[in-house]
Amino acid sequence: QLYFVCVCNMKSTSVALTHKVGKHLDLSSMEKSEISKNLYGQIQWEEILRSGVFLQHRDHQLLEKSQVSLDVVIDNSTDSKELSSMLIKIAENCTSNLTVQQYAFTRIEEILGIGMDLSSADADAFGLKHAHLFTTDGIHLMDNCFVRALLSSDIYLQRSASLGFACLLTVCEGNIGSLINWILSKLQNTSNGVWDMALPALSMLTRSQSSRRKLVDAGVVSHVVVILRRLGANGNAQQIYELCFILWAMSLGAAVANNGNNSNSNSMASADADVKAFLSAGAVQTLVDLLVSPPTRKVSRMIISALRNLSVTENDDVLSEMLASGLLKQMDSIQASNMLKQFNDQEVETDFKSLYEVLMKNFRELSTFERWATEVKSGNLRWGILHTEKFWKENAKFVDADNFSLLKSLIALTQSPDTAIACVALFDVGEFTRFYPNGRALVSKMGGKDAIMPMLTHKDDEIQRQALQCISKIMVTNWEFLR
């Protein structure tokens, strides 16, 4: 079921490409079959020969036959293996011919059923049952050409190769590290048309449990959350949906490990790692913020299901984060507005009920300090009543718990690449030094002063301002008289 959702998502985003080949061929608005047909017509096949790929008369016949009816070719075990091997051979050898490269990887996508409307086709006729065609032994992929194509300067080729590669890696063994590194390099780029290029391949990879584990370990959750924050509720609705879909898929491990029938220690350890990744990325607060004003109903569905998956772990930190973020209040609002019935989706209603029951069972009024501690542990600091002079006057005395572990985390957050988080952390460190007995000496002893001093010349004006105030509080006893 997850596979079909991914494939449909790939189709919806494929039209965003704008790439031209030759003088007239525009790939931005074509179906895969139309793209391959046009590319096939542009290829000068004598150039294939010069690249060292010797095509016999039967090979040309098979290519022509596949252009007329691909499903007939791939349903024949001999023809399908010959066609797949030929495409890999062409992709590996004709590296200087962009049109040939685009054609080969587009055809691979078609053989795997990517971009097809599977609601009106026989799903068994396409897709993953053909993945073995691109292996040496039914397991290990012939993936050198995919890895090379990821380095191409051509947007269409990168996207086509990454998507086919991701699909194959969900059931076969190959160089998944290269694909994950490519995905990370795109997600870290803030330019539109770059970071979103990785979403189809990333969505496809999340189908596989082992791939999800590798994605979590690589820090993908954090990157997705950063992008969601940057987009906000008013961002592109389709992009927000795809990002929420990815978070939902990556939360599945936690849900499966805690379904009551799984006592596997490895699964539980993996689920704990998933939960920690979501907490450290600030994913819970980000999802709750989006739930308050979601751009579409399908985004709400993804958020509710993802939060439900995390909640069934009954992890204290997760539940505290959910309660502190105001999730229960938002769920009460959803119930009161009759929004659940508007979804007309039994699965969403079940997930909503499950999430609500877990929250109610664990509900308690969190003290302001507990809420602050939850924020620090999540690493997702944000301005509010937890970061004021009044708060620190009342709560500085509680920071000494667990050998000042929260203070150590707070000092580390001053170095966050996120400007808002760094600024809030700087403010809190400064306020702690004011209101905790001997706080200035403690912060200096823990390396806070040395870590913050270089930030006085930070390129960001707001960070520079907060760093200056923080250092002043550390160094001056009666700082308030300087204000």
Side-chain angles (χ1 to χ4, degrees):
Q1 186 178 19
L2 179 55
Y3 171 63
F4 298 144
V5 176
C6 285
V7 170
C8 292
N9 285 345
M10 300 312 104
K11 185 174 181 180
S12 66
T13 57
S14 63
V15 295
L17 288 170
T18 54
H19 184 87
K20 293 186 178 180
V21 177
K23 294 182 179 179
H24 306 293
L25 184 57
D26 184 353
L27 306 182
S28 63
S29 58
M30 296 183 183
E31 298 288 339
K32 291 297 178 184
S33 58
E34 187 181 2
I35 291 173
S36 63
K37 178 181 178 182
N38 281 278
L39 290 171
Y40 182 76
Q42 287 202 356
I43 294 174
Q44 301 297 317
W45 289 101
E46 59 270 19
E47 293 185 16
I48 303 290
L49 183 63
R50 286 197 292 271
S51 299
V53 180
F54 299 100
L55 299 181
Q56 299 178 358
H57 180 64
R58 168 170 166 72
D59 296 328
H60 285 289
Q61 285 185 318
L62 188 58
L63 285 168
E64 288 284 354
K65 184 179 178 181
S66 70
Q67 288 301 138
V68 175
S69 182
L70 179 63
D71 55 340
V72 171
V73 172
I74 62 177
D75 275 345
N76 182 294
S77 58
T78 301
D79 287 351
S80 61
K81 185 59 181 176
E82 287 185 9
L83 176 62
S84 302
S85 299
M86 195 189 321
L87 291 172
I88 291 292
K89 190 176 182 181
I90 290 172
E92 286 182 342
N93 290 276
C94 302
T95 56
S96 61
N97 190 314
L98 178 58
T99 305
V100 172
Q101 289 282 302
Q102 291 172 332
Y103 172 75
F105 286 104
T106 301
R107 290 307 264 169
I108 291 172
E109 284 190 78
E110 290 182 89
I111 291 173
L112 295 174
I114 298 171
M116 292 187 59
D117 182 5
L118 294 179
S119 62
S120 60
D122 179 5
D124 289 336
F126 296 92
L128 293 180
K129 81 172 192 176
H130 301 298
H132 71 279
L133 296 172
F134 301 97
T135 67
T136 55
D137 54 5
I139 299 174
H140 298 92
L141 288 175
M142 298 179 284
D143 58 10
N144 287 338
C145 58
F146 290 95
V147 175
R148 186 188 298 114
L150 295 178
L151 304 176
S152 170
S153 59
D154 182 71
I155 293 175
Y156 178 83
L157 181 56
Q158 282 191 59
R159 187 158 182 163
S160 178
S162 65
L163 189 48
F165 196 14
C167 184
L168 291 167
L169 284 168
T170 59
V171 289
C172 303
E173 293 183 14
N175 191 352
I176 191 172
S178 291
L179 181 58
I180 291 178
N181 287 337
W182 178 84
I183 288 171
L184 289 174
S185 71
K186 300 303 177 187
L187 294 180
Q188 290 165 2
N189 193 308
T190 57
S191 301
N192 282 331
V194 179
W195 65 264
D196 49 326
M197 191 196 307
L199 296 188
L202 178 53
S203 295
M204 185 66 78
L205 267 187
T206 58
R207 287 195 292 117
S208 160
Q209 182 176 347
S210 62
S211 296
R212 291 197 297 268
R213 174 78 269 126
K214 292 181 174 67
L215 290 169
V216 170
D217 291 343
V220 168
V221 173
S222 178
H223 289 297
V224 171
V225 170
V226 167
I227 295 171
L228 274 173
R229 284 198 205 120
R230 191 168 67 236
L231 289 175
N234 295 321
N236 181 287
Q238 180 60 28
Q239 291 176 341
I240 292 173
Y241 169 72
E242 291 181 33
L243 291 163
C244 289
F245 172 88
I246 289 165
L247 289 182
W248 166 75
M250 294 179 76
S251 72
L252 288 172
V256 171
N258 290 273
N259 65 5
N261 301 316
N262 195 331
S263 58
N264 186 296
S265 59
N266 290 333
S267 294
M268 296 303 294
S270 180
D272 288 342
D274 291 348
V275 167
K276 288 178 181 177
F278 273 80
L279 283 172
S280 63
V284 172
Q285 182 66 55
T286 300
L287 290 173
V288 173
D289 289 344
L290 275 174
L291 190 60
V292 173
S293 53
T296 62
R297 288 180 188 172
K298 63 181 183 179
V299 169
S300 296
R301 287 198 290 267
M302 283 292 101
I303 292 173
I304 290 169
S305 295
L307 292 174
R308 177 265 172 192
N309 289 342
L310 295 173
S311 73
V312 296
T313 65
E314 298 205 25
N315 177 285
D316 288 343
D317 291 334
V318 167
L319 296 177
S320 294
E321 177 77 359
M322 288 181 177
L323 292 168
S325 66
L327 176 57
L328 199 54
K329 179 180 178 181
Q330 181 57 28
M331 295 186 76
D332 286 334
S333 176
I334 289 174
Q335 280 191 319
S337 65
N338 218 22
M339 189 184 297
L340 274 180
K341 288 188 177 180
Q342 295 175 24
F343 286 138
N344 194 27
D345 187 321
Q346 186 59 48
E347 268 190 51
V348 177
E349 289 187 31
T350 301
D351 286 343
F352 185 95
K353 182 179 179 181
S354 171
L355 175 59
Y356 193 80
E357 286 176 352
V358 171
L359 291 178
M360 288 301 295
K361 186 173 74 172
N362 292 273
F363 175 73
R364 59 191 175 95
E365 286 292 343
L366 297 177
S367 70
T368 52
F369 181 77
E370 287 175 316
R371 291 168 60 191
W372 177 84
T374 298
E375 266 198 26
V376 173
K377 289 176 182 177
S378 74
N380 184 28
L381 304 182
R382 51 207 175 274
W383 291 112
I385 61 171
L386 304 180
H387 310 285
T388 61
E389 182 180 71
K390 180 178 183 295
F391 170 84
W392 281 104
K393 279 183 180 178
E394 298 171 353
N395 294 282
K397 59 189 175 184
F398 300 123
V399 178
D400 58 4
D402 194 19
N403 196 26
F404 293 95
S405 62
L406 288 171
L407 179 59
K408 295 172 185 175
S409 297
L410 187 63
I411 291 172
L413 287 172
T414 64
Q415 308 302 307
S416 171
D418 186 298
T419 300
I421 292 174
C423 286
V424 175
L426 287 166
F427 174 84
D428 281 3
V429 169
E431 292 297 277
F432 171 81
T433 65
R434 291 178 62 203
F435 296 108
Y436 189 87
N438 207 27
R440 291 185 298 147
L442 272 169
V443 168
S444 297
K445 183 179 179 181
M446 292 182 179
K449 180 180 174 182
D450 291 339
I452 296 168
M453 281 293 285
M455 301 175 76
L456 294 175
T457 57
H458 198 282
K459 62 182 180 180
D460 186 282
D461 291 341
E462 183 59 19
I463 288 180
Q464 190 180 118
R465 186 178 74 84
Q466 291 291 345
L468 178 59
Q469 290 189 0
C470 184
I471 288 295
S472 299
K473 294 171 187 177
I474 293 172
M475 299 181 70
V476 180
T477 304
N478 296 315
W479 177 83
E480 59 270 21
F481 294 124
L482 299 179
R483 287 189 289 179

